[in-house]
Structure formats: C-alpha cells, structure tokens
Amino acid sequence: MKKRENILETKFPSLSRNESLARSLVSAFIMQSDPTVSELSDIKCAVSEAVTNSIVHGYKEQSGTIYMRIESSSDRIIKIEIRDKGCGIENIETAMQPLYTSDPEGERSGMGFTVMETFCDKVRVVSKKGKGTKVVLIKKLSPKEL
Amino acid sequence: MMEFDYSQGSLVVYIRGDIDHHTAKKIREEADMLLVQLAPEKLILDLNDVSFMDSSGLGLVLGRYKKAKAAGIDFLVTNCDRRIIQIFEMAGIERIISIEERITNK
C-alpha cells in the first residue's frame, strides 16, 4: 500500500521573481526521491508554468498569494498542487488548448498547459470564476535502481 | 541576463541563465533596444548558456522572430539543448524559425 513519505506546504506572494523560488523549492524536495535529471527538469518546468499562470492570469500581475503543496509517496508518485485565489478560468477546456492565450499582446505563447501535460503524467485543473484556480500535477518517478 | 556581440551586420545575443516570465521581460527589452540601435541584417539568439527555459522562452523567441521578420532581418536561434528543442517542437515553431541544436556537450 502506498504511504505518504514527505510533504511541503508553502505560500508566497505572486511576484514574478518567485517563479524561480518555486522551482528551487520543488527541486530541493524532489531531490530526496532521487529522480533522473530528465524527471527533475520536467517537474521544474511544469511548476514554473503553473506558478506563472497564477501570477499572469490568476492575479493579472497584481498582488496575491500563491499556495504550493508538494507530496511524495512510497510508490514514487509526486503530487504538486499550485493554487491561487485569483480571477479563475472561465473555460478550462479552451484555456488548455495549445497556442491559446488570453493575453496575445503580452507575448505569452499559449503553451503553458501543453508543457504541463507533456512533462507530467496527469494534470488536473479546478477553477471557479472569481474564486481562483487549483492545478494538480502528478508525476510518477521511475523505479529506483537497487 | 544577456550579452551581445555585433560585427559585420550580425548581432549575436547570448542569453544566460534562466528564461522564465520574470527574466524574459528584461531580455526582450534589451534585445529590442539593440535591434533599434544597431539595425543589423541578421539576428542570432545563442541559447548555449541557458540553464532553464519554460514556455516564456517560446514567447520571447517568437516575438523576436516577428520583429526581425517585419524589419527584413534574418533570424536564427542557435546552440539549443535537447530540452529547449523539445519545447520549441511542442509549439511547432521549428517549422517557421531556423533553429540549430547544440553540437558539443557542455
């Protein structure tokens, strides 16, 4: 049976400089599970996308708080939740389409969710207009070599 | 962070460190200023020393490509590692922009 191994819960202001902070925190946490270089890069990139979405879209670059929770379990599954109390996503299906962006002037590529989906095993998005958005990223790490 | 080198009409912009939404803004502003000041015939973005890139890098590259194209400037992205190429390929931009993979291992 799977058992939770470790957990980290944190929150930080929606400042763009905290995109790298979030990546560093996730890296440090995941390193305990001895991931491959590629798995670590995948997770860092997916987290960067989710945190950037909260800053750019959720809070529209205004002040807010981003909540991050990372959990590792004995079956080598990493679960990361990134949550904001921003404006929410009106249509999740549209937002997740490749190349779709609600902000074409801002040089956003519209590839954030595609990157998350490519680099993770599962991406779940829960959002309510005016209430906020929660993104759950699931990544299964390859078995450890004995 | 970035540095540049200009000679014989070619502007090479070396991007260093992480490309994310936070850093992309400054890189974009500096690169665009150089384009105006130097009016090169060719713009090369060198990504050899990029340690991390997310989809903000796509926006950065596409934006510079559009500016260069509008001004009749040749555009090339060079020294990309496999992961950067993978992100470019997700958006299919390698079909419209000249992208060169890094040959030697760092």
Side-chain angles (χ1 to χ4, degrees):
Chain A
M1 208 179 86
K2 76 161 186 175
K3 205 175 85 205
R4 184 198 288 164
E5 281 197 326
N6 203 359
I7 187 161
L8 172 73
E9 284 183 331
T10 184
K11 60 178 180 178
F12 47 84
S14 59
L15 303 169
S16 62
R17 76 174 86 117
N18 285 337
E19 291 153 12
S20 62
L21 176 71
R23 293 196 296 272
S24 301
L25 286 171
V26 167
S27 273
F29 184 93
I30 309 279
M31 284 306 282
Q32 296 184 341
S33 302
D34 195 17
T36 64
V37 173
S38 167
E39 286 163 348
L40 183 65
S41 301
D42 289 352
I43 294 170
K44 276 171 69 179
C45 200
V47 164
S48 195
E49 299 292 351
V51 170
T52 302
N53 273 357
S54 285
I55 294 169
V56 175
H57 302 293
Y59 291 119
K60 306 213 179 294
E61 314 235 15
Q62 305 297 308
S63 71
T65 304
I66 296 170
Y67 303 82
M68 186 166 78
R69 183 179 188 277
I70 320 167
E71 192 183 310
S72 61
S73 57
S74 56
D75 54 1
R76 298 184 58 72
I77 288 178
I78 307 290
K79 181 179 173 189
I80 304 161
E81 285 182 16
I82 289 145
R83 189 164 56 85
D84 65 62
K85 293 181 178 173
C87 67
I89 303 170
E90 202 159 291
N91 187 330
I92 295 174
E93 210 179 311
T94 307
M96 290 182 81
Q97 278 174 10
L99 301 170
Y100 171 81
T101 176
S102 57
D103 179 24
E105 295 303 309
E107 285 200 0
R108 305 302 309 156
S109 64
M111 291 298 288
F113 279 119
T114 307
V115 169
M116 288 183 237
E117 287 181 313
T118 306
F119 288 150
C120 294
D121 293 294
K122 200 170 167 187
V123 179
R124 200 169 71 230
V125 184
V126 186
S127 188
K128 200 165 178 195
K129 209 171 167 239
K131 295 277 185 195
T133 300
K134 179 168 87 172
V135 174
V136 184
L137 307 168
I138 307 277
K139 179 80 174 174
K140 179 139 183 47
L141 303 180
S142 53
K144 250 194 237 178
E145 281 176 34
L146 295 174
Chain B
M1 209 175 81
M2 56 166 270
E3 286 169 31
F4 73 97
D5 191 16
Y6 178 71
S7 98
Q8 295 178 336
S10 279
L11 170 62
V12 187
V13 173
Y14 300 92
I15 304 178
R16 309 211 191 283
D18 292 359
I19 307 179
D20 60 13
H21 156 252
H22 179 69
T23 60
K25 186 169 179 263
K26 194 155 183 276
I27 297 168
R28 181 168 71 219
E29 285 168 1
E30 289 181 12
D32 287 354
M33 203 166 68
L34 287 173
L35 277 184
V36 172
Q37 284 173 349
L38 301 169
E41 291 161 24
K42 186 170 190 176
L43 171 62
I44 300 164
L45 294 187
D46 188 315
L47 306 189
N48 192 56
D49 293 318
V50 171
S51 44
F52 170 86
M53 187 185 99
D54 65 15
S55 71
S56 304
L58 281 172
L60 178 75
V61 167
L62 267 174
R64 305 298 67 68
Y65 163 74
K66 286 179 187 165
K67 285 227 154 130
K69 195 176 175 219
I73 299 168
D74 288 340
F75 184 72
L76 171 70
V77 186
T78 189
N79 282 324
C80 307
D81 68 19
R82 259 327 298 168
R83 175 156 290 266
I84 291 175
I85 300 250
Q86 191 186 358
I87 293 174
F88 286 151
E89 285 174 349
M90 277 181 214
I93 68 171
E94 79 289 355
R95 293 197 295 264
I96 53 166
I97 297 177
S98 306
I99 288 167
E100 284 177 1
E101 191 167 346
R102 184 193 297 154
I103 308 222
T104 50
N105 288 323
K106 261 212 292 195

